[in-house]
Amino acid sequence: MIPTPQYTGMDCHAISEAFLALHEQDGFARLPPSSLLHDSVPMSFVMSAGLIQVENDLDKIVAETGGKFAFTQPCFRHFDMKQVGSDPTRLSLFHMSAAFHIGSTERETVLPRLWYFLTQTLGLDKDRLWVTYLDDAEFGCDEASYQCWNALGVAEERLVGLGQEHCFWRQRSTGQIASDGKKCGPHTEVFYERDVACPACENREQPIGNCRCGRFVEISNSLFIENYIDDDRKLIPAGTVFAECVLGLERLAMILQNVSCVYHTRRFEQWRKKLAKYVVAPSCSTDTAVSIILDHLSAFVALTANGAPAPGQGGRKYLMRKLARESMKHMEALKMDVHQVLQDILVDAPIPLCYLSEEYSKINKKVSCKETKKRKTGHT
Ligand SMILES: [Zn+2]
């Protein structure tokens, strides 16, 4: 095993700034992030640093930026909530930096800059990096990416060809510009290998990145949109091609800070210290429970700051309720004084505090009603 490298300890903000600055140097315009409450996802929240946020204004943005722009976007994935705590690299709310180049899918305009950023700017150990590319029976081999990575010095044995289920992206529904059709194209991912003992990964029993042990961490993905795909899976050359390169900031921070999981990065440090004081009933699952509380509460605060509604029924309200209730359920399991915790850790976030306190009162009322009923009917 290669000795554990000493990294810079950069946090998400510093990584984002470095990425955006490098792109600005190369003529990319820096754009602000979108609100998490974007019209394109009316029942949910923005889920990735994708084209969807800029699609409606694309002509204007291209006219203003020349088609090269970069930004850092907070993203919320409610469907990942269940894996929070058990998967060391998954958060419900996380941050992605993205760079778009509209009008070009030349690998040479994307991958060399990304490689420089990862290995020089961040100083990641090259011997721990793995790269995947499309090698598929139906959609062919992404030779262009393979050649470009190889020319950058990525050895053949570290270039892993995978099928369409891993390395081919297609839009699920038509874009907001309906006549556009469904965009698609190959993508190529960069993984970082950590010192996690896992026989399945050690023996390459499954494709890289499939295992949830956290040994192989996907840190970047570059997508090249060259075609549309019709209902018969036929590829139609796209009028406007583009390349997108994204980074997972919390995952990179985890690696650079040399911590075991994203929940132990500095992003959560202050709250984690505060929460620790309130744990009355510690157990072997305390760390997982605290991680879930940290994730859900920070997502709740960020979404509220973006204008999310109070917890309730349906759509966004339901997702807010789920975050609130799940986090408080774990606080109760640790026998924390929930009101006290909320007051203490949310001292700088005044709006959600009342939302959360109200939600907690509702849960308690439900519990006491159930207990009363049980008592009346004689059930225990
Ligand atoms: Zn594994």
Side-chain angles (χ1 to χ4, degrees):
M1 191 54 81
I2 321 157
T4 307
Q6 292 297 309
Y7 288 135
T8 55
M10 281 165 96
D11 62 12
C12 293
H13 179 72
I15 300 165
S16 157
E17 281 304 306
F19 182 81
L20 297 178
L22 182 67
H23 280 81
E24 279 178 313
Q25 251 179 43
D26 284 349
F28 284 71
R30 185 193 287 229
L31 299 184
S34 297
S35 163
L36 278 154
L37 279 70
H38 196 269
D39 294 343
S40 60
V41 272
M43 298 299 281
S44 182
F45 303 103
V46 165
M47 293 177 212
S48 61
L51 195 66
I52 200 155
Q53 296 102 285
V54 292
E55 207 167 27
N56 269 352
D57 299 321
L58 195 59
D59 288 343
K60 192 170 149 246
I61 293 170
V62 169
E64 282 168 7
T65 64
K68 290 164 75 174
F69 50 89
F71 54 87
T72 291
Q73 175 69 44
C75 315
F76 176 75
R77 292 187 185 164
H78 62 90
F79 44 84
D80 275 353
M81 275 177 69
K82 264 196 194 140
Q83 286 155 28
V84 169
S86 57
D87 182 324
T89 64
R90 224 162 275 260
L91 292 156
S92 68
L93 186 118
F94 56 98
H95 298 80
M96 279 167 111
S97 289
F100 281 85
H101 192 161
I102 310 292
S104 167
T105 57
E106 275 177 45
R107 308 322 192 239
E108 286 71 20
T109 63
V110 178
L111 304 181
R113 188 186 302 104
L114 173 62
W115 190 246
Y116 176 85
F117 179 76
L118 296 174
T119 59
Q120 302 296 313
T121 311
L122 301 185
L124 293 179
D125 184 351
K126 286 178 194 173
D127 292 337
R128 288 174 178 267
L129 298 179
W130 295 79
V131 174
T132 65
Y133 66 95
L134 179 73
D135 191 2
D136 184 67
E138 185 180 5
F139 296 124
C141 177
D142 180 9
E143 275 290 335
S145 291
Y146 180 92
Q147 294 300 343
C148 189
W149 284 121
N150 203 221
L152 286 165
V154 183
E156 225 169 279
E157 60 272 20
R158 290 186 167 268
L159 276 161
V160 185
L162 294 176
Q164 54 179 288
E165 63 279 25
H166 298 283
C167 287
F168 190 79
W169 181 84
R170 74 195 85 183
Q171 207 169 20
R172 281 195 198 137
S173 54
T174 37
Q176 296 199 305
I177 311 158
S179 58
D180 251 349
K182 292 176 187 169
K183 300 175 188 74
C184 67
H187 55 93
T188 171
E189 299 167 334
V190 181
F191 285 84
Y192 183 90
E193 184 176 7
R194 301 194 300 161
D195 298 332
V196 173
C198 171
C201 283
E202 188 80 49
N203 304 323
R204 301 284 185 272
E205 282 168 20
Q206 44 187 335
I208 193 166
N210 250 28
C211 184
R212 288 277 152 82
C213 66
R215 178 166 174 147
F216 291 101
V217 182
E218 185 194 337
I219 52 175
S220 176
N221 192 6
S222 301
L223 169 67
F224 302 97
I225 297 296
E226 294 161 330
N227 292 294
Y228 293 122
I229 187 162
D230 69 12
D231 293 338
D232 302 324
R233 302 169 69 84
K234 216 178 92 194
L235 301 183
I236 303 147
T240 305
V241 300
F242 66 89
E244 180 188 7
C245 173
V246 297
L247 289 183
L249 298 184
E250 279 83 358
R251 291 178 178 185
L252 280 166
M254 171 186 80
I255 293 161
L256 294 173
Q257 292 169 24
N258 197 22
V259 289
S260 60
C261 57
V262 284
Y263 320 107
H264 279 272
T265 54
R266 284 209 300 280
R267 185 186 138 187
F268 298 112
E269 197 174 68
Q270 271 188 322
W271 280 16
R272 183 177 280 283
K273 274 186 193 154
K274 283 188 175 184
L275 278 179
K277 293 186 299 188
Y278 293 96
V279 179
V280 177
S283 72
C284 56
S285 57
T286 298
D287 192 67
T288 306
V290 168
S291 298
I292 295 169
I293 297 168
L294 289 171
D295 171 88
H296 290 10
L297 277 188
S298 74
F300 193 95
V301 170
L303 291 167
T304 305
N306 273 241
Q313 287 177 350
R316 288 171 173 163
K317 290 180 182 172
Y318 169 72
L319 297 176
M320 294 300 280
R321 170 160 284 171
K322 220 169 135 186
L323 283 171
R325 293 198 170 181
E326 283 294 310
S327 58
M328 292 190 278
K329 196 177 87 188
H330 286 283
M331 287 182 207
E332 289 198 318
L334 296 170
K335 302 239 184 303
M336 288 177 169
D337 178 337
V338 176
H339 280 297
Q340 204 57 48
V341 171
L342 293 178
Q343 264 177 18
D344 192 0
I345 75 168
L346 299 179
V347 69
D348 299 321
I351 314 164
L353 179 58
C354 66
Y355 281 0
L356 284 165
S357 301
E358 277 168 28
E359 194 59 22
Y360 186 56
S361 308
K362 278 180 202 161
I363 307 172
N364 272 351
K365 227 181 265 169
K366 257 191 183 170
V367 172
S368 57
C369 285
K370 267 187 203 162
E371 278 171 3
T372 325
K373 260 187 207 164
K374 272 182 201 164
R375 252 175 258 140
K376 275 185 184 165
T377 52
H379 292 301
T380 48

